[in-house]
Amino acid sequence: MPNIQIDGKLYDTDTLPQEVKGHLAAMQQCDQKINSWNMDIAIAQTARTAYAAELNLLLEQVAVVGAEKVEVVEAEEVDEVDEVEILSAEEVEVLEAEEIEANR
């Protein structure tokens, strides 16, 4: 005689009506499905975190719109160019501020 406790009350499962047993079985199936979905959600969240981390690594190699400022230099001012460095907007602002400060 197995017993089941529902809402703090103990019931003998052998004496429960078929309708009650049917509802209990349906609830157990619902619980199993919910547990399965929760595991799927956990798997998807873990995968999403991995994709986000990989995306951040890949985006480090991509230029951000509006983050670069290219300064045009007249050809006669430059004899030879070995390397060109593209500065971010923030770096350009710092350099401009330093230049203004130096010219005061």
Side-chain angles (χ1 to χ4, degrees):
M1 262 191 311
N3 294 329
I4 185 168
Q5 186 171 345
I6 302 172
D7 293 332
K9 298 175 185 170
L10 197 59
Y11 298 93
D12 179 358
T13 55
D14 291 335
T15 62
L16 292 175
Q18 280 305 114
E19 185 177 18
V20 172
K21 289 179 182 180
H23 279 70
L24 286 173
M27 285 181 61
Q28 288 172 340
Q29 287 178 341
C30 289
D31 288 341
Q32 289 172 354
K33 195 63 156 174
I34 289 168
N35 288 334
S36 175
W37 287 337
N38 285 334
M39 285 191 301
D40 289 345
I41 289 169
I43 290 168
Q45 287 173 330
T46 300
R48 186 184 188 287
T49 300
Y51 284 125
E54 183 68 19
L55 176 62
N56 284 331
L57 290 175
L58 293 171
L59 287 175
E60 288 178 2
Q61 303 168 18
V62 178
V64 176
V65 175
E68 296 177 358
K69 181 177 180 181
V70 177
E71 189 173 329
V72 177
V73 178
E74 295 296 324
E76 59 201 17
E77 294 179 33
V78 177
D79 292 332
E80 185 178 314
V81 176
D82 291 332
E83 186 178 320
V84 174
E85 180 180 355
I86 298 176
L87 301 176
S88 69
E90 293 83 16
E91 292 171 316
V92 170
E93 287 176 13
V94 168
L95 289 175
E96 288 173 348
E98 288 174 355
E99 186 177 332
I100 290 170
E101 193 65 31
N103 290 330
R104 285 188 181 176

